[in-house]
Amino acid sequence: MTNIDKGATRNLVAFIRAYTDVLEKQLQAVRDTMRETTEGVMDGIQRISDRTAEKKKEANTVLVSTYTNPSEDAKKTMDSVQDAVAAVFDAAQGTKPASVTAAPTDDDLKAKLRRHAGFFSKHMEALETLDEDVQGMLLTMMGMLSRDDVISQRVDHVVQSLQAMQMSLAYVLVDFEARCRQADVDKVVKDLKSFTLRTYTTEEERQAFVSVFGEDKKAS
């Protein structure tokens, strides 16, 4: 064991520590992305639920105020429509209601119906945005879920890096005295760094690498 190059050994150990630090940063980023994705989806579900409940409450309020317990204006509008309809039926049957001197024309009836529909639609306008709101929320959630592919890729990159490091160390350890020389260690380090950078597909991964190894990425 006296022929071991201690300087090369120290450099190899230092590199392994730095390399595992890079992998730790990658796994931390994966964990953060998974947490953000989960929180984003759950928040989207809650917002859709809250928005739907809000719109349901608004619709119920409109129905109550329009039909069950109408305001004075709504009541007058509905009574006017009902009187006009009754007048049409009475005219068709040859009778004339006491409250109406003449049967309304088709245009009169249509005008009253339009006023009634307009009164109701005015209160229902807010409900028309529900589909649009929910669609926007669903698109946001789909965007969050699309991160699944990125997460899977980054985990695969970490696994590949670990396998590459295992193979590199196996090469050195199989004949440690002969291969733990500075030239061999430098080659192992260079090849492993180069392989690792080639597997990365996101700028965030590369930045994590550079934060540990500096501008070594130029060597790739």
Side-chain angles (χ1 to χ4, degrees), residues 153 157-158 160-161 194-202 205:
Q153 288 179 2
H157 296 164
V158 172
Q160 292 171 13
S161 298
S194 179
F195 168 81
T196 302
L197 275 175
R198 287 199 303 272
T199 64
Y200 290 162
T201 55
T202 68
E205 288 175 305

Side-chain angles (χ1 to χ4, degrees), residues 147-157:
R147 294 183 178 184
D148 181 64
D149 289 340
V150 175
I151 292 172
S152 178
Q153 288 179 2
R154 297 191 68 169
V155 171
D156 286 342
H157 296 164

Side-chain angles (χ1 to χ4, degrees), residues 16 72 85 92 100 103 107 114 141 145 151 158 166 189 204 208:
I16 293 173
E72 192 62 31
V85 172
V100 179
D107 289 339
R114 281 197 296 269
M141 289 172 61
L145 290 172
I151 292 172
V158 172
Q166 181 182 20
V189 168
E204 188 177 0

Side-chain angles (χ1 to χ4, degrees), residues 87-186:
V88 170
F89 284 136
D90 288 339
Q93 296 174 1
T95 61
K96 184 184 295 185
S99 59
V100 179
T101 58
T105 65
D106 288 345
D107 289 339
D108 291 335
L109 182 56
K110 290 177 180 178
K112 291 179 182 293
L113 288 171
R114 281 197 296 269
R115 283 197 296 272
H116 178 61
F119 180 83
F120 181 73
S121 63
K122 179 182 67 175
H123 292 282
M124 293 294 289
E125 286 176 357
L127 300 179
E128 296 177 357
T129 62
L130 179 57
D131 287 345
E132 182 178 345
D133 292 343
V134 171
Q135 183 180 19
M137 294 175 188
L138 288 175
L139 288 174
T140 299
M141 289 172 61
M142 290 175 63
M144 298 297 295
L145 290 172
S146 67
R147 294 183 178 184
D148 181 64
D149 289 340
V150 175
I151 292 172
S152 178
Q153 288 179 2
R154 297 191 68 169
V155 171
D156 286 342
H157 296 164
V158 172
V159 172
Q160 292 171 13
S161 298
L162 286 170
Q163 292 173 339
M165 182 174 68
Q166 181 182 20
M167 293 175 60
S168 297
L169 289 178
Y171 167 80
V172 175
L173 295 176
V174 73
D175 191 355
F176 191 72
E177 289 189 26
R179 294 178 178 175
C180 193
R181 294 288 183 264
Q182 194 58 55
D184 290 310
V185 169
D186 288 345

Side-chain angles (χ1 to χ4, degrees), residues 25-35 151 154-155:
K25 289 179 182 295
Q26 304 294 7
L27 290 174
Q28 178 67 45
V30 169
R31 187 181 70 174
D32 292 343
T33 302
M34 292 179 65
R35 184 181 66 249
I151 292 172
R154 297 191 68 169
V155 171

